[in-house]
Amino acid sequence: MAYRTASSQGLCGLPGRLITVSVANIAQAGALVFTTHRASPRVLLIKARRNPQLWIFPKGHIESGETPDETALRETREEAGVAADLVARVGSLEFESGKDVVHVEYFLVRWAADVPAEEDRERRWCTIEEASEMLVFEGARALLAKAARKWKDALHG
């Protein structure tokens, strides 16, 4: 648990009271799922559960005893109905969700098979360009560009 301290402004510019707010640091992991279709890379996006207008990469909480890469593969199965193989670590994003700070480690994974999904989420295979246009957050677009380079290197390396 982390704490943030802020002071409020009192009357006539004099200091007000000190406010301390507890902030949870939440650890998550996610996956950028790639495959190749007609010699062109495709990436999987899913609709966000909290805001179904947003397209995102599969991600979720790291369970006790689970490594971040195991979480990424599990969340990909549960949310998107995809079994995948780990390729490489891509990077991380950090954002605020309410009063919490969420840190997400992302991994590049290779589609292996479709499996029954535990969640009923819309999913879409996109070209890199399509996915970049559909992603709202700049950090997610930067991760996508990095993952696309790693995918290309993995195919030709």
Side-chain angles (χ1 to χ4, degrees):
M1 187 74 66
Y3 295 93
R4 290 189 185 162
T5 303
S7 61
S8 61
Q9 195 76 0
L11 293 175
C12 302
L14 297 173
R17 59 193 171 116
L18 201 57
I19 302 168
T20 302
V21 179
S22 64
V23 177
N25 288 313
I26 299 172
Q28 295 188 351
L32 285 85
V33 185
F34 272 64
T35 192
T36 301
H37 178 73
R38 297 184 182 158
S40 177
R42 296 287 193 271
V43 63
L44 181 67
L45 297 181
I46 63 170
K47 289 277 185 132
R49 183 177 61 232
R50 287 191 181 167
N51 184 350
Q53 288 76 35
L54 296 179
W55 289 96
I56 62 170
F57 306 118
K59 68 172 179 57
H61 292 84
I62 298 173
E63 305 279 335
S64 178
E66 200 174 43
T67 63
D69 57 319
E70 290 170 338
T71 299
L73 295 173
R74 176 181 55 76
E75 290 292 343
T76 300
R77 261 190 328 275
E78 290 176 3
E79 294 182 350
V82 168
D85 299 313
L86 186 67
V87 176
R89 183 181 178 279
V90 178
S92 62
L93 291 178
E94 198 164 87
F95 59 91
E96 290 185 12
S97 176
K99 65 179 182 175
D100 301 326
V101 175
V102 180
H103 179 85
V104 187
E105 291 288 325
Y106 281 99
F107 296 86
L108 172 62
V109 301
R110 177 183 290 115
W111 174 89
D114 286 332
V115 296
E118 292 183 21
E119 298 182 20
D120 186 25
R121 303 246 198 134
E122 187 178 343
R123 70 179 205 173
R124 186 175 299 171
W125 287 101
C126 308
T127 65
I128 303 305
E129 296 76 21
E130 289 168 341
S132 188
E133 290 176 13
M134 293 167 68
L135 293 166
V136 171
F137 302 109
E138 181 57 39
R141 288 192 296 269
L143 274 178
L144 175 60
K146 188 174 181 182
R149 289 190 299 274
K150 286 183 177 281
W151 179 253
K152 185 178 177 182
D153 292 346
L155 291 179
H156 303 294

